[in-house]
């Protein structure tokens, strides 16, 4: 049975079975009984850390149904942009630092991608419908929030469990919804239901979504053939952009006085996700997460503990839009790539109340990561060996931190922290496919590469130190000033250190930046160390009906992991950067870099009329990144961009008119032959109407169906002969989505 039909059937069923309760009707009788008000209380932190932005569930609702990519919910946060990937797997960028340079946590778990193309990043493991709150620390990040990152920290939290009020009895609640988006024929649904009494909460959530390839705002390439059962890909169709995903979660929470215990199991299955900026597509991703948590309030302060385990099985292969050029999929196996990973983590922290205004935070973190990445032979000269990309990769972290927050007086708050991490990495011996032919001759330099790699010491230990200091001054109720300094450290990941083959076909399969190039690891990489200084000016009315914030920042990175050119099967050199119009092979190396920029944010009321309240808010971001050795631009740095939003609220109506403006991108990474993109402007309409228990959302993305190219979307490799490095045209950036009309309906019960 067609999967899209099954998703639609599930949506219709859940809506139909819940509509009566949601609208307050039971047969012909209207329900008059209402639930008592529930008040949930929690300890408020002594102060908000520097540059922390919190997005509540209500703030996310207007955008939640316009996307299936949780990272996309961050798009209007100052300093944040996205690096393009698959339909549910974009990578967040903060101040020009992307992917694993940003520490990402989901329900307290620091998750990592288990894929040479980073197709399954942390934020892909939670559906937008399940997100309850988002905390973003752009730039300066307190050491208690996390380490092993440079640009900032993103914390995604699912909805907090709700318990029945004293004497209320059993509480049954939930929400069900469905949505449709025209561009890509996206159909999805979700369900949340919980049962609770005063001490116990049981919650189930589930979501399903399916999408076809999306269309750009015009032809960006000639039309071309796809798999035999798909015919031709039109000139405006973005190949390899379809996806399917199913997420399910079962949680239990128990509270006793000031103690809360939680246990949660998350299961995800992605049958298929195409990647228009990668040589491969994801043909299966199965993930299981177990997350145990404890929070306890004591006389001396707050104690929190968490333990989690993740098991991932990941498969890649040519999807339909790429398979055509290799013949009949029934007889030619393509190029299978397999990954499995296990992640175990423990985090313990305590907030100790030293005095009424002072808090000492101490804690530790352990994380054990194991990864195997292998590519079975698929015909030709590959047999009999399996290509071992990473064999028994190990990356373990041991961290301790201490942080002192002091309220010096009503006007001054300070925060000082130190975090030490030991990162241990290792991997086993490797080998290629058929390293020699029948006459004993080497094939594609694999034997030399594997022998060189196996003969070297691969056991690496990094000892990393993070320091954070910030000072906040509040002279009165209408202005705040914050100053921060930080030293942040990130050790290389397994793919940056341990991928070993100089063969171009193997190298292009190790690419998590989406630029179409091939990448080779480097055993001699040192950890990246970033020193950041920032200042925040915050002017506002006492009730914050209007406000203006400006945050300039400067970051200097020692041993930034950039890249140098190589030739197929040969050594690499920093000087080999002469070709400008093709994909290339690169090797990671450490070089100094610097980034600077400014984030602006403002909001203000415009008018209060009989037609409702009108307001205006906006964000402007500018980042400049440079390699100080080569004077080259850093890769995937977003150009100057701004978003202006005209808001309207009246009764149950909540509407927005959004203008997105992006400057042309001409400051690029020349060593990577990064593609320049023209500037553009987009207009989006969003609206919703809410009743007591029901809500309808609707909108139009890219109202004027403009053709534009994503400045951080990478190179288009979504169709054609993707195995060979020069088998597809160079110079086409991945285009953004054309006009899309969306609608959604949800019911609470």
């Amino acid at each position: 049975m067609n999967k899209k039909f099954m998703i639609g059937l599930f949506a219709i069923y859940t809506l139909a079975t819940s509509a009566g309760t949601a609208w307050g009707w039971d047969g012909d009788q209207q329900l008059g009984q209402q639930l008592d008000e529930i008040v949930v209380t929690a300890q408020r932190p002594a102060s908000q850390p520097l540059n922390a932005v919190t997005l509540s569930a209500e703030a996310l609702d207007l955008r939640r149904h316009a996307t299936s990519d949780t990272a996309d919910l961050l798009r209007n946060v100052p300093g944040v942009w996205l690096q393009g990937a698959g339909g549910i797997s974009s990578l967040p960028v903060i101040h020009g630092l992307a992917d694993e340079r940003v520490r990402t946590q989901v329900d307290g778990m620091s998750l990592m991608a288990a894929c040479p193309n980073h197709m399954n990043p942390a934020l892909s493991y939670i559906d937008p419908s399940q997100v309850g709150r988002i905390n973003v620390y752009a730039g300066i990040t307190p050491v208690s929030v996390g380490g092993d990152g440079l640009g900032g920290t993103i914390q995604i939290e699912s909805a907090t469990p709700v318990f029945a009020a004293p004497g209320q009895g059993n509480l049954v609640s939930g929400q069900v919804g469905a949505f449709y988006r025209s561009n890509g024929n996206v159909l999805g649904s979700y369900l949340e239901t919980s049962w609770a009494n005063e001490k116990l909460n049981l919650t189930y959530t589930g979501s399903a979504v399916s999408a076809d390839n999306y269309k750009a705002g015009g032809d960006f390439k000639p039309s071309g053939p796809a798999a035999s059962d798909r015919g031709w890909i039109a000139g405006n169709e973005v190949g390899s952009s379809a996806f399917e995903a199913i997420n399910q979660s079962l949680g239990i929470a128990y509270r006793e006085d000031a103690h809360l215990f939680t246990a949660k199991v998350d299961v995800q299955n992605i049958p298929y996700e195409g990647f228009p900026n990668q040589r491969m597509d994801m043909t299966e991703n199965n993930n299981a997460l177990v997350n145990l948590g404890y929070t306890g309030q004591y006389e001396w302060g707050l104690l929190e503990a968490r333990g989690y385990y993740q098991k991932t099985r990941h498969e890649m292969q040519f999807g339909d839009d790429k398979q055509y050029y290799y013949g009949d999929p029934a007889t030619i196996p393509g190029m299978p790539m397999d990954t499995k990973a296990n992640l175990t983590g423990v985090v313990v922290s305590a907030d100790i109340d030293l005095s009424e205004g002072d808090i000492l935070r101490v804690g530790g973190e352990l994380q054990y990561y194991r990864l195997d990445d292998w590519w079975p032979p698929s015909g030709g000269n590959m047999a009999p060996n399996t290509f071992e990309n990473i064999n028994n990769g190990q990356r373990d972290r041991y961290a301790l931190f201490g942080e002192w927050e002091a309220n010096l007086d009503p006007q001054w708050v300070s925060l000082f922290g130190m975090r030490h991490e030991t990162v241990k990495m290792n991997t086993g011996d490797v080998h290629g496919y058929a390293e020699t032919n029948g006459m004993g001759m080497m094939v594609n330099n694999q034997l030399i590469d594997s022998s060189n790699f196996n003969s070297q010491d691969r056991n690496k230990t990094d000892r990393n130190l993070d320091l954070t200091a910030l000072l906040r001054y509040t002279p009165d109720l209408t202005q705040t000033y914050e100053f921060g300094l930080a030293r942040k450290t990130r050790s290389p990941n397994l793919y940056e250190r341990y991928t070993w083959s100089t063969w171009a076909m193997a190298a292009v399969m190790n690419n998590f930046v989406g630029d179409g190039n091939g990448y080779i690891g480097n055993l001699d990489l040192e950890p990246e160390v970033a020193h950041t200084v920032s200042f925040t000016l915050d002017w506002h009315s006492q009730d914050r009906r209007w406000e203006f914030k400006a945050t300039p920042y400067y970051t200097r990175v020692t041993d930034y992991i950039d890249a140098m050119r190589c030739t197929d099967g040969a050594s690499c050199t920093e000087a080999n950067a002469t070709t400008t119009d093709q994909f290339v092979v690169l090797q990671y190396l450490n070089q100094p870099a610097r980034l600077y920029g400014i984030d602006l944010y403002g909001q203000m009321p415009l008018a209060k009329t009989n037609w409702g309240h009108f307001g205006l808010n906006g964000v402007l971001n500018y980042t400049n990144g440079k390699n100080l050795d080569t004077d080259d631009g850093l890769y995937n740095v977003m150009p100057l961009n701004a978003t202006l939003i005209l808001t309207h609220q009246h009764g149950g109506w909540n509407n927005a008119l959004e203008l997105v403006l992006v400057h042309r991108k001409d400051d690029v990474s020349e060593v990577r032959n990064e593609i320049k993109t023209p500037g553009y402007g987009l207009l989006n309409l969003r609206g919703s109407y809410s009743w007591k228990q029901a809500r309808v959302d609707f909108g139009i993305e890219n109202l004027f169906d403009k053709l534009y190219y994503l400045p951080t979307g990478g190179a288009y490799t979504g169709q054609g002969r993707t195995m060979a490095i020069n088998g597809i045209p160079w110079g086409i950036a991945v285009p953004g989505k054309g006009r899309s009309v969306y609608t959604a309906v949800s019911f609470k019960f």
Side-chain angles (χ1 to χ4, degrees):
M1 184 179 292
N2 183 273
K3 292 181 179 178
K4 192 179 292 289
F5 175 75
M6 294 180 65
I7 292 172
L9 193 62
F10 172 72
I12 294 171
Y13 172 77
T14 51
L15 287 171
T17 55
S18 306
T21 303
W23 287 99
W25 290 84
D26 181 8
D28 294 329
Q29 301 296 320
Q30 186 172 7
L31 297 178
Q33 183 179 3
Q34 299 181 1
L35 296 176
D36 296 332
E37 182 180 4
I38 300 172
V39 179
V40 179
T41 60
Q43 185 185 36
R44 183 177 61 86
S47 67
Q48 184 77 359
L50 180 71
N51 268 1
V53 174
T54 298
L55 303 177
S56 65
E58 292 76 13
L60 297 169
D61 280 345
L62 195 59
R63 188 172 182 83
R64 198 188 300 268
H65 297 103
T67 181
S68 295
D69 185 359
T70 296
D72 196 59
L73 299 176
L74 304 165
R75 190 175 294 276
N76 291 333
V77 175
V80 179
W81 202 258
L82 303 179
Q83 177 179 303
I88 58 173
S89 299
S90 294
L91 301 165
V93 183
I94 297 180
H95 294 168
L97 299 168
D99 197 3
E100 292 185 342
R101 291 187 174 108
V102 177
R103 175 52 48 200
T104 307
Q105 300 169 353
V106 178
D107 284 334
M109 302 176 289
S110 293
L111 305 180
M112 295 183 290
C115 168
N117 304 140
H118 284 193
M119 292 181 174
N120 47 17
L123 296 185
S124 68
Y125 290 119
I126 182 169
D127 186 79
S129 65
Q130 298 174 329
V131 176
R133 187 175 69 171
I134 301 177
N135 298 319
V136 180
Y137 299 81
I140 306 291
T141 301
V143 298
S144 58
V145 173
D148 200 32
L150 304 182
T153 299
I154 297 171
Q155 297 176 320
I156 303 288
E157 300 176 9
S158 53
T160 303
V162 176
F163 299 89
Q168 185 180 8
N170 294 333
L171 172 65
V172 178
S173 61
Q175 180 174 262
V176 61
F179 57 87
Y180 175 77
R181 298 191 288 273
S182 63
N183 195 338
N185 193 27
V186 186
L187 180 64
S189 58
Y190 57 91
L191 169 68
E192 176 194 356
T193 182
S194 67
W195 172 93
N197 58 26
E198 296 178 26
K199 294 187 174 183
L200 186 65
N201 175 288
L202 300 174
T203 298
Y204 168 81
T205 61
S207 65
V209 63
S210 177
D212 299 330
N213 287 344
Y214 72 82
K215 304 296 194 302
D219 290 350
F220 65 97
K221 57 176 175 59
S223 60
S228 57
D229 62 340
R230 288 244 303 116
W232 284 69
I233 299 179
N236 69 337
E237 181 177 342
V238 179
S240 301
S241 59
F243 62 90
E244 299 175 13
I246 301 170
N247 291 276
Q248 297 186 86
S249 176
L250 182 62
I252 181 171
Y254 177 79
R255 70 173 182 181
E256 183 67 43
D257 298 326
H259 305 276
L260 176 66
F261 302 86
T262 60
K264 193 176 181 184
V265 177
D266 297 324
V267 178
Q268 181 190 71
N269 172 249
I270 300 179
Y272 176 78
E273 184 180 6
F275 285 77
N277 62 357
Q278 294 290 354
R279 307 297 181 118
M280 309 295 288
D281 297 311
M282 184 159 68
T283 53
E284 192 79 30
N285 196 85
N286 290 299
N287 183 77
L289 275 164
V290 178
N291 188 1
L292 307 176
Y294 166 75
T295 302
Q297 185 70 51
Y298 297 86
E299 291 184 1
W300 51 264
L302 184 70
L303 177 64
E304 294 182 293
R306 185 170 304 280
Y308 56 92
Y309 175 76
Q310 180 187 31
K311 183 175 183 179
T312 304
R313 184 68 169 86
H314 173 72
E315 299 178 15
M316 293 191 296
Q317 178 59 283
F318 300 117
D320 286 347
D321 299 336
K322 298 165 182 170
Q323 182 69 46
Y324 172 83
Y325 288 85
Y326 299 96
D328 184 358
T331 59
I332 297 180
M335 188 174 175
M337 300 172 65
D338 295 285
T339 307
K340 66 177 180 180
N342 296 284
L343 176 67
T344 304
V346 177
V347 185
V348 179
S349 65
D351 289 8
I352 303 171
D353 298 327
L354 300 179
S355 64
E356 183 177 348
D358 292 352
I359 298 176
L360 175 65
R361 297 187 181 94
V362 295
E365 181 178 3
L366 301 175
Q367 189 179 77
Y368 301 96
Y369 186 59
R370 298 293 181 269
L371 179 139
D372 286 291
D373 191 316
W374 72 99
W375 310 343
S378 57
N381 294 323
M382 292 183 179
N385 289 340
T386 292
F387 189 102
E388 293 182 334
N389 196 36
I390 292 180
N391 177 31
N392 191 28
Q394 304 171 31
R395 192 179 192 274
D396 300 334
R397 295 169 50 216
Y398 311 84
L400 292 172
F401 68 85
E403 188 173 84
W404 176 32
E405 181 175 336
N407 288 270
L408 306 176
D409 61 38
Q411 293 181 320
W412 292 92
V413 177
S414 64
L415 182 72
F416 300 96
M418 180 171 66
R419 182 185 184 101
H420 184 273
E421 292 208 6
T422 298
V423 181
K424 293 186 175 182
M425 299 174 63
N426 205 349
T427 188
D429 289 347
V430 297
H431 58 71
Y433 293 115
E435 296 186 330
T436 60
N437 61 19
M439 296 179 289
M441 300 176 64
M442 284 184 298
V443 177
N444 302 120
N445 231 38
Q446 293 179 82
L447 184 58
I448 291 179
D449 290 342
S450 61
S451 297
N452 287 341
F453 182 85
N454 293 337
S455 65
Q456 298 186 63
D457 181 12
R458 301 179 298 277
N459 192 352
K460 305 291 181 180
T461 300
D462 301 328
R463 305 190 188 281
N464 302 332
L465 179 66
D466 286 3
L467 301 169
T468 296
L470 69 88
L471 190 66
R472 169 180 286 148
Y473 174 56
T474 308
D476 56 47
L477 296 178
T478 63
Q479 52 186 323
T480 303
Y481 304 93
E482 295 176 330
F483 176 77
L485 292 169
R487 168 196 163 106
K488 293 293 182 180
T489 312
R490 182 190 78 96
S491 286
N493 61 42
L494 291 173
Y495 291 100
E496 289 169 325
R497 262 189 174 150
Y498 293 131
T499 50
W500 54 272
S501 179
T502 63
W503 178 25
M505 195 195 78
V508 296
M509 303 306 170
N510 289 291
N511 180 325
F512 43 81
V513 295
D515 61 1
N517 298 312
Y519 284 86
I520 305 168
N522 188 339
L523 286 169
D524 296 325
L525 287 179
E526 297 292 333
E528 299 176 311
V529 180
H531 294 85
T532 299
V533 57
S534 71
F535 174 76
T536 298
L537 173 154
D538 183 355
W539 294 337
H540 51 268
S541 62
Q542 292 188 23
D543 57 3
R544 285 200 175 269
R545 294 183 65 237
W546 70 263
E547 60 181 316
F548 172 77
K549 295 180 69 173
T551 303
Y553 57 88
Y554 180 90
T555 297
R556 175 73 177 263
V557 185
T558 303
D559 291 321
Y560 181 88
I561 298 176
D562 213 321
M564 61 180 172
R565 291 280 183 91
C566 308
T567 54
D568 188 3
S571 60
C572 305
T573 170
E574 296 182 50
N576 182 21
T578 56
T579 57
T580 60
D581 59 352
Q582 66 182 49
F583 296 115
V584 295
V585 176
L586 307 119
Q587 184 176 33
Y588 297 110
L589 84 162
N590 294 116
Q591 293 176 315
R594 66 106 182 98
L595 302 102
Y596 65 81
I598 189 170
D599 303 331
L600 301 178
Y601 170 78
Q603 69 170 8
M604 60 181 294
L606 293 180
K608 182 179 180 181
T609 71
N610 293 333
W611 297 95
H613 294 204
F614 293 86
L616 181 68
N617 62 65
V619 178
L620 183 145
N621 303 306
Y622 172 73
T623 302
N624 183 289
K626 191 72 68 177
N627 183 312
L628 296 179
D629 264 3
T630 64
D631 203 37
D632 196 10
L634 299 184
Y635 179 71
N636 249 355
V637 174
M638 186 68 186
L640 175 69
N641 62 91
T643 302
L644 297 174
I645 305 175
L646 176 66
T647 62
H648 168 248
Q649 293 179 320
H650 181 63
W653 290 101
N654 189 357
N655 308 308
L657 176 64
E658 180 181 85
L659 175 64
V660 179
L661 301 170
V662 177
H663 194 268
R664 69 179 182 273
K665 180 167 185 173
D666 48 23
D667 189 4
V668 296
S669 172
E670 294 181 359
V671 71
R672 291 174 168 84
N673 288 339
E674 184 179 5
I675 301 169
K676 297 180 180 181
T677 56
Y680 60 88
L682 305 176
L683 196 63
N684 304 317
L685 295 174
R686 310 188 197 284
S688 71
Y689 189 84
S690 299
W691 293 269
K692 184 175 182 179
Q693 292 175 276
R695 176 184 172 111
V696 174
D697 286 83
F698 50 89
I700 306 176
E701 300 273 286
N702 193 357
L703 178 64
F704 297 113
D705 200 25
K706 182 176 180 58
L707 174 61
Y708 68 102
Y709 297 89
L710 300 170
T712 56
Y716 181 67
T717 56
Q719 63 188 88
R721 187 175 177 82
T722 64
M723 183 180 295
I725 194 167
N726 293 319
I728 52 178
W730 175 88
I732 303 175
V734 175
K737 294 179 181 179
R739 183 188 297 115
S740 182
V741 179
Y742 71 89
T743 185
V745 59
S746 59
F747 303 92
K748 293 182 179 179
F749 56 90

